[in-house]
Amino acid sequence: MRRVVFNQKGGVGKSTITCNLAAISAQEGKRTLVIDLDPQGNSSQYLLGAQADELEATITDFFEQTLTFQLNPRTTAEFVVATPFKRLAVLPADRRLEELQGKLESRYKIYKLREALDELADDFDQIFIDTPPALNFFTRSALIAADRCLIPFDCDQFSRHALYSLIANVDEIRADHNHDLQVEGIVVNQFQPRATLPQKVVQELIAEGLPVLEPYLSASVKIKESHEQAKPLIHLDPHHKVTLEFVALYDKLDAAKKKRTR
Ligand SMILES: Nc1ncnc2c1ncn2[C@@H]1O[C@H](COP(=O)(O)OP(=O)(O)OP(=O)(O)O)[C@@H](O)[C@H]1O
Ligand SMILES: [Mg+2]
C-alpha cells in the first residue's frame, strides 16, 4: 500500500500524520518506508533527529541521478536510511531538493518516483509519502506514485473551501496518470471538541458527502514534544490520548484495506 499525505495548505499536520501512522505501521510488524518529498525535511528530522543533518545521500541525489547519464546508477534502495525504530526506514529530503524542481519538470521526470517505488515493492509492506505544501512537481510525482491519498484538515473555514479544488486536482491526476489513485479520506487534525466552529465545519463536510475519517486527532502539546525529541508518539508515550487516536485511525485504515482485499 502506498499512501500520499497531501494538502497544499501549510502546517495542517502532513508530516506529523505521515510519521506517526508510519511508526505505528512499523510497530505493528510491517516493513514501513517514509518518503520525504519536502525540501523542509521535517519528516526526515522527525524520524532521524540530528542524523538528518549528516546524511551522505538523500532523495535529492536520487532525483539528480535521473538527470545525468550514469554508468552504474545507484539502486533506489541505496538511498533508503534506517531510522532508530525497528522496521521503519526513510528516504530523506534536504534543502537542495527545491533547486532541482525546474529541471526535473522540464525534463519530464514525473514518473521517476513511481518507478522507484515499483523497484522497492518487495522490500516494504507500507509506504507513506510526505509532501510539501504546494501542488508542484513533487506532489504530482507522489500522487502519480501512490494508490491512496490522505488529506489532513485543520478545521478552518478557508481550508474547507480549498478542499474542493484539492479533490478536483486529485481527480485530474487520477484521470490523466493514475487510475489506481483513491482519496482514502480526510483526517481531521487539531480538533477541539468544545469549540463550536470546528464542530460545525466538520459536520458540513460530512453533510456534503466528503469522506471524513474518524477518530479526529486532538490538539496536544505531546505532538510538539514528540517532534522535539525526534520520537513518534507510539515510542514517546504509547498510552497518551492522542497516540491512541492515531492507533485507532491506523487500525481503521488497515481494516478498510483488509476488507477491500478480501
Ligand atoms: N494535533 C496536533 N496538536 C498540536 N500540534 C500539532 C498537531 N498536529 C500538528 N501540530 C503542530 O503543527 C505544526 C505543523 O505540523 P506539521 O509539520 O505536521 O504540518 P505540515 O502540514 O507537514 O506542515 P508543512 O506544510 O509546513 O509541511 C507542527 O509544529 C506540529 O508540531
Ligand atoms: Mg510537512
Side-chain angles (χ1 to χ4, degrees), residues 194-206:
R194 275 180 286 278
T196 47
L197 193 63
Q199 287 269 16
K200 185 172 160 274
V201 175
V202 173
Q203 283 314 316
E204 281 166 0
L205 293 184
I206 295 169

Side-chain angles (χ1 to χ4, degrees), residues 7-17 38 40 42-43 130-134 152 189-191 217-225 227 242 246:
N7 190 327
Q8 293 113 301
K9 187 172 181 201
V12 293
K14 292 180 288 294
S15 305
T16 303
I17 291 165
D38 186 352
Q40 295 181 97
N42 292 341
S43 283
D130 186 21
T131 55
N189 188 28
Q190 304 227 35
F191 187 69
L217 302 170
S218 306
S220 166
V221 288
K222 251 306 157 213
I223 292 189
K224 289 235 181 324
E225 202 186 311
H227 281 278
V242 76
F246 270 103

Side-chain angles (χ1 to χ4, degrees), residues 19-20 23 46-47 85 88 226 230-237:
C19 293
N20 280 292
Y46 195 5
L47 298 177
F85 314 104
L88 183 59
S226 160
K231 242 185 189 184
L233 293 161
I234 194 76
H235 299 288
L236 180 72
D237 194 343

Side-chain angles (χ1 to χ4, degrees), residues 40 61 63 70 78 104 147 162 172 177 180 183 220 236 242:
Q40 295 181 97
D61 303 283
F63 278 118
Q70 310 267 327
E78 287 175 74
L104 292 166
D147 34 40
E172 190 179 338
H177 302 279
D180 295 336
V183 173
S220 166
L236 180 72
V242 76

Side-chain angles (χ1 to χ4, degrees), residues 143-204:
L143 288 163
I144 289 172
D147 34 40
R148 295 289 178 274
C149 177
L150 283 174
I151 304 170
F153 175 69
D154 61 359
C155 307
D156 181 88
Q157 222 13 298
F158 289 117
S159 314
R160 192 191 131 207
H161 296 300
L163 271 182
Y164 290 95
S165 61
L166 195 164
I167 291 172
N169 289 328
V170 174
D171 284 346
E172 190 179 338
I173 287 181
R174 179 192 309 113
D176 293 347
H177 302 279
N178 180 8
H179 293 301
D180 295 336
L181 180 65
Q182 285 179 25
V183 173
E184 195 167 25
I186 294 166
V187 180
V188 176
N189 188 28
Q190 304 227 35
F191 187 69
Q192 292 168 321
R194 275 180 286 278
T196 47
L197 193 63
Q199 287 269 16
K200 185 172 160 274
V201 175
V202 173
Q203 283 314 316
E204 281 166 0

